[in-house]
Amino acid sequence: MQDVTAVRTSVLPPYAAHLRVYEPLAALPEPDRARWQAELAGRGPDAASADQPVARAALEAQREALAELLPRPSRAAPSWDGAAREHEGAFVRVVDSVAYVCPWATRLRSWQALEELRDSLPVTLLETVLPRTVREEALAAQASWRSAHPDARPWILTSRWEVPVRWFLPFGPEDRRYLPAGGPGQGEGVEPAALFYLTTMAQARRRVARGYRVLREKLSGTPLAEGAEEVGRWLEEFHPRSLVELDYGGLVHVMGEQTLAADQSAGELADGLAALRAGDADTAAQVYETVTERWRRVQALRQAN
């Protein structure tokens, strides 16, 4: 953990990983489809192939999010007046000449983050960050918005200071893309390192279902088994020809390139499940401990001064 990646930019992404779904542009409803077709024609994709990360676009999204913190009084989420649509950004990938879109859904994700914040911070600190009146207004808006959008779900899940082990279930070692830092950036010095996995929805669902079956049989009721069911249910919400991406995001800046190059968490978890399926519980337990210990070390950095 000593070889921390240096990034020459005035804004660092948060130390968070992201699980994303990109739906085919052609599958989006109007008017969203037409809007994104026009924007894609004007600015191009954030990643023009399966081997390119969306790191630059994610950094730009972070800049926009920081700008949203400037208004006073504080806002817990983008405002909603009962009629406004979610006219905001998305990550766009092009793979094999097909365009895929992952909307940010900032309002929905902000409300989810507010719930997590409420559960994780002491009341006094929470009151300083977001006063009670601001939280109450946000929760009232959330309830109203939910009644108008009962089937809404985020295209992006976020985890701070770790990649949850269950998030590796949709991927195989062949889906891994690691790009060391280097090469010219776009006015920001060198390109930062990136580590991400990308696969098809069909493969992701198949792997999660297969993993869940063995976990339910061998380790029913454990956090990993319940997590596999949770990931599987979330993936079922999207178009069957979507793409699924696990992006280490800002975690690359605390893990360091040596650790990133050696990280094979998805492949190790797949090996552990294969051992569990074959009845080799000792090997499966050893693999699981290796993966979880790796992420415990990253999580420990949260408390570092």
Side-chain angles (χ1 to χ4, degrees):
M1 297 296 174
Q2 301 300 317
D3 54 325
V4 176
T5 305
V7 182
R8 296 177 177 86
T9 175
S10 59
V11 178
L12 281 175
Y15 298 136
H18 310 280
L19 189 63
R20 304 186 183 107
V21 170
Y22 296 77
E23 294 193 283
L25 177 58
L28 295 182
E30 295 290 3
D32 294 332
R33 184 194 314 168
R35 180 169 66 90
W36 282 110
Q37 282 176 331
E39 185 155 339
L40 180 60
R43 69 173 176 85
D46 299 309
S49 75
D51 295 324
Q52 290 185 357
V54 295
R56 284 286 160 192
L59 191 59
E60 186 59 35
Q62 175 66 10
R63 288 193 180 99
E64 292 185 18
L66 287 173
E68 288 293 321
L69 297 178
L70 295 177
R72 291 293 183 269
S74 303
R75 289 189 300 170
S79 58
W80 185 66
D81 60 8
R85 292 177 57 84
E86 197 78 58
H87 289 306
E88 44 121 43
F91 298 116
V92 181
R93 280 190 168 277
V94 172
V95 177
D96 296 331
S97 300
V98 177
Y100 298 85
V101 178
C102 176
W104 295 346
T106 303
R107 185 182 295 115
L108 176 57
R109 293 169 60 216
S110 296
W111 282 324
Q112 292 176 328
L114 175 60
E115 293 174 358
E116 295 174 9
L117 196 67
R118 186 179 54 192
D119 295 336
S120 62
L121 288 183
V123 174
T124 53
L125 182 56
L126 180 61
E127 190 67 26
T128 301
V129 176
L130 286 173
R132 181 172 57 85
T133 55
V134 174
R135 300 196 307 273
E136 289 176 349
E137 289 174 0
L139 292 173
Q142 179 185 21
S144 179
W145 187 88
R146 274 294 189 188
S147 65
H149 303 82
D151 299 324
R153 72 282 190 266
W155 286 262
I156 306 173
L157 303 181
T158 297
S159 174
R160 293 178 296 278
W161 290 101
E162 69 166 334
V163 178
V165 175
R166 63 185 179 275
W167 284 11
F168 292 108
L169 289 168
F171 307 97
E174 69 274 17
D175 302 322
R176 182 181 183 272
R177 276 87 168 175
Y178 171 57
L179 288 77
Q186 300 172 1
E188 301 287 350
V190 299
E191 286 287 347
L195 198 163
F196 66 98
Y197 291 80
L198 188 70
T199 191
T200 64
M201 179 62 77
Q203 281 278 40
R205 288 176 177 171
R206 188 177 303 117
R207 290 181 179 127
V208 172
R210 188 162 57 236
Y212 177 61
R213 281 196 297 270
V214 67
L215 289 168
R216 183 180 57 185
E217 178 184 346
K218 307 288 187 178
L219 299 173
S220 179
T222 62
L224 186 55
E226 294 175 353
E229 182 178 16
E230 175 186 314
V231 171
R233 289 183 183 277
W234 181 66
L235 293 178
E236 288 295 332
E237 296 288 333
F238 300 96
H239 193 278
R241 293 187 180 177
S242 299
L243 300 177
V244 185
E245 176 186 60
L246 169 55
D247 185 355
Y248 277 39
L251 292 180
V252 299
H253 307 305
V254 293
M255 295 178 67
E257 292 192 23
Q258 189 174 24
T259 301
L260 290 170
D263 185 311
Q264 299 288 339
S265 295
E268 290 168 346
L269 183 60
D271 291 342
L273 288 172
L276 189 62
R277 191 178 294 111
D280 187 352
D282 290 340
T283 298
Q286 183 178 1
V287 169
Y288 182 73
E289 179 61 26
T290 297
V291 176
T292 54
E293 176 58 27
R294 176 180 301 128
W295 292 104
R296 277 197 293 267
R297 291 198 300 270
V298 176
Q299 278 188 305
L301 295 174
R302 178 188 301 184
Q303 308 302 327
N305 188 335

